[in-house]
Each structure stands twice: as C-alpha cells, then as structure tokens.
C-alpha cells in the first residue's frame, strides 16, 4: 500500500494588488503558512510522499528570500516531495527553478521533474510520470507520452500534470495546456494528480484536481484542500480523502437592500464572519436615512473585524423620505441643495450620491447635537 498527498497551485509570491497593504501582506504570508501545514499534515498522516502538480511559484521573478522561505517551509516532512513546473513557473531555459538550483536551496528530498519522463521511488512502490510545462502555454497534450512510457514492474503508475482537462471544466477556462479527459485510462494510470484548476474537482475515479490549498479568488469551487490518496496495489482504485488546510475563507455576496429588515439580516450575516474571512460584498437598492446610517455602522464594524472587506456599493442609493428631510430641518438653501442632490442621484450622478450621503450625515449629526 502507498499513500501520498496531492496538492498544487501554491502560487508562492503572489501579489494582491486589489487589496490594501494591511490585507495584501497577510494574504501573501498565508501561502507560506499553508505550505507549512501541508508538511505537518504529511508527517502526521505518515504518508510516503507529497506530489505537487505545478505552479509552486506565482512568477519566475520571486526573490531569493522567497525561494528559501518556500523550501524551508517543507522541513516538517522528511519524505520525498515530487514537484513539476506549471504555467506560472514553467521550466524555461532561465527560470525560478534554475535560480533555485544556483542558490543551492533545494533540499535533497525535493525531486523536481522539469523534463518529461518517469521518476521511480521503488522503496515506496511509486513511479511518477511527469508532464512539466517547459513554456507557459502549449496547445498539445503533454500527458500523451504517458500512454507509452514504461515504469518498473510492481510500482504504482501515478501521473503528475498541470493543465485543463478538455470538455469538463468551465467554458471560460483557457484552452491552453490541454489534457485528454480519459488520460488515466489510456495510460493505465493508477492515479492522475492534476493542477491548474484552483478548486477541488474529481474528473473520474482516478483523476483529480486538488485545487489551491489557500484560496486566492472569490470563486465557490471548493479551494483550500489537499488530497490524501491511498492505493493498495497496482490496478486498485484509489481511496481519496480531502483535508482542509486553508488559513483564510473567501466569500462573495450580493445583497439588494430596500427595507430596514434587509439591513438587519445583512448585519446578522456579517456577525457570523470573523478574522479568518475575506468578503467581497456588493450592495444595491434604496435605503432611507436611518437604515443607511445603520448600514454604515455595520460595515464599519465588519471592516475592523474581518481579514478584509471589499465593498462595492455603487448601486446603493440613499433615498431620504420626506419625513427624513423634515427631521433634518434642511430648510432654505440647505433644503434646496438636498433636493438637487436627490434629483441628480436619480440620474446616476456618483458625485451627487456621495455628496448626498455626506450632507445627510452632517445634518443628522447637527440635529443630534441640538437635541442632546
């Protein structure tokens, strides 16, 4: 029996440009911490090897310090790590991998398959058939040679590849780096470990994407896992178990708000999230002054509590009622300005929308001071 972990798409060195630095730095750091958790899991589970199906690094130009930190993060598991380059870290003539070798920072138990072929590990009953990317994109199926590659008798045949299984992924997936959907059957593989698709996905009984172990986008396709694969003997079906390892949880939510109760329900949803959550929140609708101010308070509290709150409220309108306007006592010139801003907001004037929000808040604060 042989057991190994299957993981991929670590994307070490990824930059989070859409986030503020206070959020971007912890999100990038989490990728190192997750690799450390994978190493600890491999040791705890007593697996024979860890297979990494490409995109260990997010770019060819990561710093020497990043290279060394990544390989140091593997230290908890002393068994073999088997890696292939993916499209982000392809094995070019000069690449992140040639630099890593030049810096002499790849440990002896890390086996990089940077050219197509077979790497045998007879002591653990495993032969890995590698299909590394030697350029960022190719339109030929690099796993096709698996069909004719010979492996030592008695060893498991496990494929390791990075690309897009044709016809079975979402339509928007790039067609570059294609992989035949029946490759495992054609090549008599006991298991085909894939990378490139960032979510956990089973293709058939012997073919899986592990997904990225640390989410990096707002997509509900089950990221944040590694797979433990157990195969009792050549030809036996693999037993696959997923393990959650992600540090942060990413959520995407859209809400239409029109009544005070809508704001209260959103507040309850926000209260269920905490410091390990990254939320992209899109708001639309129309709220009166009291509900709008309640919303602003809830969003402020959430922004301080969550790891990151990415807010899009461009389609949300402040619509003061006549009672709101009367309560603000915005008579005379202020009343005229308030009325003009309300009209312009209806015409999709973003500046007017922002100005209306600010003016209404100032008037309400003034009124509260007068009543205090």
């Amino acid at each position: 029996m042989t057991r190994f972990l299957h993981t991929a798409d670590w994307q070490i060195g990824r930059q989070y440009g859409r986030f503020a630095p206070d959020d971007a730095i912890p999100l990038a750091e989490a990728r190192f911490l997750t690799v450390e958790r994978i190493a600890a899991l491999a040791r705890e589970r007593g697996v024979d090897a860890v297979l990494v199906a490409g995109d260990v690094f997010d770019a060819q130009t990561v710093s020497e310090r990043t290279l060394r930190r990544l390989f140091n993060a593997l230290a908890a598991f002393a068994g073999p790590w088997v890696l292939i380059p993916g499209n982000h870290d392809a094995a070019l003539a000069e690449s992140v991998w040639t630099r890593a070798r030049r810096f002499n920072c790849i440990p002896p138990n890390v086996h990089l398959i940077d050219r197509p072929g077979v790497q045998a590990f007879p002591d653990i009953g495993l032969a890995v058939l590698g299909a590394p990317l030697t350029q960022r994109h190719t339109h030929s199926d690099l796993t096709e040679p698996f069909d004719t590659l010979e492996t030592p008798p008695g060893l498991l045949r496990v494929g390791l590849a990075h690309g897009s299984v044709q016809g079975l992924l979402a339509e928007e997936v790039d067609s570059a780096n294609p992989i035949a959907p029946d490759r495992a059957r054609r090549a008599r593989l006991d298991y085909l470990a894939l990378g490139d698709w960032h979510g956990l996905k089973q293709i058939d009984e012997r073919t899986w994407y592990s997904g990225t172990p640390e989410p990096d986008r707002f997509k509900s396709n089950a990221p944040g896992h590694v797979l433990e694969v157990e195969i009792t003997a050549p030809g036996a079906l693999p037993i696959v178990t997923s393990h959650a390892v992600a540090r942060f949880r990413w959520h995407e939510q859209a809400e239409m708000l029109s009544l005070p109760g809508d704001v209260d329900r959103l507040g309850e949803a926000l209260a269920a999230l905490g410091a390990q959550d990254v939320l992209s929140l899109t708001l639309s609708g129309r709220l009166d002054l009291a509900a709008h101010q309640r919303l602003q308070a809830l969003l402020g509290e959430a922004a301080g509590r969550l790891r990151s709150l990415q807010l899009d409220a461009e389609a949300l309108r402040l619509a003061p009622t006549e009672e709101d306007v009367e309560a603000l006592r915005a008579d005379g010139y202020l009343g005229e300005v308030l009325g003009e801003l309300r009209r312009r907001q209806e015409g999709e004037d973003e500046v007017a929308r922002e100005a209306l929000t600010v003016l209404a808040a100032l008037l309400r604060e003034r009124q509260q001071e007068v009543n205090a």
Side-chain angles (χ1 to χ4, degrees):
M1 180 186 73
T2 300
R3 285 191 302 127
F4 56 87
L5 295 187
H6 164 201
T7 179
D9 298 287
W10 293 353
Q11 312 289 150
I12 296 298
R14 174 155 190 173
Q15 302 297 307
Y16 293 86
R18 66 177 289 184
F19 293 85
D22 285 352
D23 293 329
I25 293 172
L27 291 175
E29 183 69 16
R31 309 200 78 80
F32 290 100
L33 299 176
T34 298
V35 172
E36 290 178 355
R37 278 195 292 278
I38 293 171
L41 179 67
R43 182 189 62 217
E44 292 163 7
R45 298 297 299 170
V47 299
D48 299 298
V50 180
L51 276 54
V52 189
D55 280 0
V56 173
F57 297 100
D58 190 58
Q60 301 283 9
T61 55
V62 297
S63 67
E64 178 184 351
R65 180 173 183 270
T66 294
L67 283 168
R68 294 189 181 280
R69 287 193 65 199
L70 181 277
F71 290 113
N72 288 342
L74 311 182
F77 178 64
W81 296 79
V82 188
L83 287 57
I84 62 167
N87 58 304
H88 281 260
D89 55 3
L92 310 175
E94 177 64 21
S95 71
V96 64
W97 301 107
T98 60
R99 292 171 55 231
R101 285 186 170 123
R102 194 157 55 243
F103 295 140
N104 196 31
C105 59
I106 303 179
N109 64 322
V110 174
H111 305 270
L112 174 66
I113 303 178
D114 58 358
R115 290 294 178 266
V118 176
Q119 179 115 23
F121 300 89
D123 54 330
I124 58 173
L126 178 65
V128 178
L129 295 76
L133 286 172
T134 56
Q135 58 190 48
R136 186 172 177 86
H137 294 305
T138 177
H139 294 283
S140 60
D141 185 347
L142 298 182
T143 67
E144 187 173 356
F146 289 180
D147 295 359
T148 55
L149 280 176
E150 295 297 328
T151 54
L155 301 188
L156 300 176
R157 288 172 60 88
V158 174
L160 191 59
H162 190 91
S164 175
V165 172
Q166 299 300 282
L168 296 180
L169 299 182
E171 292 180 0
E172 68 270 16
V173 172
D174 194 338
S175 61
N177 310 322
I179 296 173
D182 59 348
R183 180 60 63 206
R185 179 188 61 78
R186 289 192 201 179
R188 309 175 315 283
L189 299 177
D190 295 293
Y191 184 82
L192 177 54
L194 297 179
D196 193 36
W197 181 251
H198 279 212
L200 174 61
K201 188 174 183 64
Q202 180 179 7
I203 301 301
D204 60 33
E205 59 190 2
R206 298 186 185 275
T207 307
W208 290 71
Y209 283 98
S210 64
T212 181
E214 183 64 35
D216 56 2
R217 62 194 68 177
F218 297 104
K219 195 165 187 175
S220 300
N221 58 359
H225 298 83
V226 298
L227 298 177
E228 180 179 342
V229 182
E230 178 180 318
I231 308 176
T232 56
L237 288 177
I239 301 169
V240 181
T241 305
S242 66
H243 296 278
V245 294
R247 179 174 181 82
F248 294 119
R249 301 178 293 264
W250 291 48
H251 315 271
E252 190 170 32
Q253 188 172 347
E255 294 289 343
M256 168 75 78
L257 306 177
S258 58
L259 300 171
D262 297 335
V263 176
D264 293 336
R265 283 189 290 274
L266 175 60
E268 292 173 0
L270 292 174
L273 303 178
Q276 305 305 311
D277 294 293
V278 178
L279 174 64
S280 174
L281 179 62
T282 301
L283 299 178
S284 60
R286 302 166 65 88
L287 293 176
D288 63 22
L289 186 56
H292 192 273
Q293 292 187 331
R294 168 68 176 148
L295 172 65
Q296 296 307 308
L298 289 172
L299 293 175
E301 293 169 2
R305 188 176 65 256
L306 305 186
R307 173 62 275 163
S308 179
L309 174 59
Q310 301 288 298
L311 179 64
D312 179 357
E314 290 187 5
L316 181 66
R317 298 288 179 262
L318 172 60
T321 64
E322 294 303 324
E323 291 78 8
D324 287 335
V325 175
E326 183 177 346
L328 291 173
R329 298 182 182 178
D331 51 7
Y333 177 69
L334 278 178
E336 293 176 6
V337 170
L338 192 62
E340 179 64 19
L341 291 175
R342 292 169 70 190
R343 285 189 293 275
R344 290 191 180 188
Q345 178 191 227
E346 296 305 319
E348 304 299 322
D349 187 327
E350 185 176 345
V351 174
R353 178 174 63 86
E354 295 292 339
L356 178 60
T357 302
V358 172
L359 179 58
L362 290 173
L363 290 173
R364 188 175 179 88
E365 288 176 8
R366 186 185 70 173
Q367 187 61 34
Q368 290 172 341
E369 291 173 358
V370 170
N371 295 335

